[in-house]
Amino acid sequence: MSALSRFEGFMNNVVEGSVQRLFRSPVQPAEIARRLERAMESQQTISVDRVLVPAFYRAFLNPEDFRAFEPIQESIEREMANYLEDLARERGFSLLEHPFVDVAPDPAVPRRGIQVVAEMSGSPTQANQPGMDRTQVIQSGGRDAGRAQVTAQLVLDTPEGPHAFPLNTTIMTVGRGLNNDLIVEDPRVSRQHAQLRFKSRRYFIGDMGSTNGTYVNGTQLTADQVLHDGDTVSLGGLELRFHQR
C-alpha cells in the first residue's frame, strides 16, 4: 500500500464519519498531502551518497477553510507527518529528522487555496549535519526569464541512481553562488560557472569564466556550444548528462 493510500485510509477509518461532516470545505486533506508531496519533490538537495528533502512543513489555508480542520487538527498534522516519512522512504529520500507538519490559517491565502512552505529542518542547527559538505545540487525556484517550450534536463548520477534537474527557462545559470538557477555545492564548480540558453528550439551552453572550465564530451568550451541529447557536460570535473526530447 502506498503512503498516500495509507493516509487516505486513516482519514476514512480513524476520523470516520467526521470527515464527510467536517470537510464539506472545498479543501480536502488529500489535497494538502499532495501539495506537501510536491514541496518535498521540488526541494531536493542531492549529495553523492543521499538525497535530502525537507522535514519541516507549514501549510497555510484561508481562515474560512481552516475552520473545518480545527476539531481534528492535531491528528491530521500527525498523520501528514507520518505520510511524509513513508513517502520519503518509498522514494529513497533522506530526512534530517522526523517530519513536522503545521496547518495554519492565513488571511492572505484565497478561499480554496493552499500555500506550503518547506524547510530542511525546524531547527537552524540541523543544517550543519554531517554529509552536507559533499556535492550538492539544488534546483532553485528559477527566474522569470521565460519558459522553454521543450523538455530538457541535466542528469546527475548518484549511488541511489540518476537524478534529473529540468531545464524549464530560456536562460539558466549554474554555479555555487546562491543567485544561480541550479546551485551546485562542489569545490570544483565556480560561483558563476556556466550558462544555458534556449534559442531556436535548442540549448546552448557557455562558460562564465570559471576556474576549472566547462567541457562538453571532454572538449573544453571556448565559445557557446549547442547541446545534443546524450552529451556529457563537465563542470570542472563534475559530470552531468544532457537530455532533450
Side-chain angles (χ1 to χ4, degrees), residues 29-30 45 96 117 149 169 188:
T45 299
L96 292 177
V117 176
Q149 300 300 310
T169 59
R188 296 168 292 183

Side-chain angles (χ1 to χ4, degrees), residues 21-108:
R21 184 176 70 254
L22 292 172
F23 294 106
R24 290 173 182 170
S25 164
V27 177
Q28 300 297 310
E31 292 180 71
I32 301 177
R34 292 189 182 95
R35 194 68 64 87
L36 295 172
E37 176 184 350
R38 288 201 291 271
M40 173 181 283
E41 290 277 2
S42 66
Q43 298 189 45
Q44 302 175 31
T45 299
I46 310 299
S47 74
V48 294
D49 60 355
R50 60 177 174 169
V51 181
L52 281 170
V53 290
F56 184 80
Y57 298 81
R58 299 197 74 187
F60 296 99
L61 309 177
N62 182 275
E64 292 297 316
D65 296 330
F66 174 77
R67 193 168 294 127
F69 289 81
E70 288 185 283
I72 54 172
Q73 180 182 358
E74 289 186 8
S75 296
I76 288 180
E77 290 173 340
R78 182 178 61 252
E79 289 305 316
M80 285 184 176
N82 291 335
Y83 160 68
L84 291 173
E85 185 175 50
D86 291 343
L87 184 66
R89 187 180 303 112
E90 286 181 1
R91 306 283 172 84
F93 297 152
S94 296
L95 297 155
L96 292 177
E97 57 186 303
H98 180 74
F100 175 85
V101 176
D102 177 37
V103 181
D106 185 343

Side-chain angles (χ1 to χ4, degrees), residues 174-196:
V174 185
R176 286 190 295 110
L178 297 180
N179 60 331
N180 290 285
D181 301 295
L182 190 60
I183 304 166
V184 182
E185 279 296 336
D186 185 290
R188 296 168 292 183
V189 177
S190 297
R191 293 187 60 81
Q192 297 286 328
H193 198 107
Q195 183 180 80
L196 294 104

Side-chain angles (χ1 to χ4, degrees), residues 72-216:
I72 54 172
Q73 180 182 358
E74 289 186 8
S75 296
I76 288 180
E77 290 173 340
R78 182 178 61 252
E79 289 305 316
M80 285 184 176
N82 291 335
Y83 160 68
L84 291 173
E85 185 175 50
D86 291 343
L87 184 66
R89 187 180 303 112
E90 286 181 1
R91 306 283 172 84
F93 297 152
S94 296
L95 297 155
L96 292 177
E97 57 186 303
H98 180 74
F100 175 85
V101 176
D102 177 37
V103 181
D106 185 343
V109 178
R111 288 297 306 270
R112 301 178 176 84
I114 305 170
Q115 293 184 4
V116 172
V117 176
E119 299 176 6
M120 281 296 167
S121 171
S123 170
T125 59
Q126 293 282 358
N128 296 320
Q129 289 288 328
M132 294 294 289
D133 58 346
R134 301 186 178 93
T135 302
Q136 301 168 38
V137 183
I138 307 170
Q139 187 80 42
S140 171
R143 292 172 285 184
D144 268 339
R147 293 289 175 179
Q149 300 300 310
V150 299
T151 300
Q153 59 188 8
L154 287 173
V155 179
L156 174 69
D157 287 321
T158 74
E160 290 77 25
H163 292 280
F165 303 92
L167 307 180
N168 52 16
T169 59
T170 54
I171 301 175
M172 188 169 187
T173 59
V174 185
R176 286 190 295 110
L178 297 180
N179 60 331
N180 290 285
D181 301 295
L182 190 60
I183 304 166
V184 182
E185 279 296 336
D186 185 290
R188 296 168 292 183
V189 177
S190 297
R191 293 187 60 81
Q192 297 286 328
H193 198 107
Q195 183 180 80
L196 294 104
R197 288 179 173 271
F198 179 71
K199 54 185 178 181
S200 303
R201 300 192 60 80
R202 297 184 296 177
Y203 270 96
F204 293 76
I205 187 170
D207 188 78
M208 299 179 69
S210 66
T211 300
N212 295 321
T214 302
Y215 297 75
V216 175

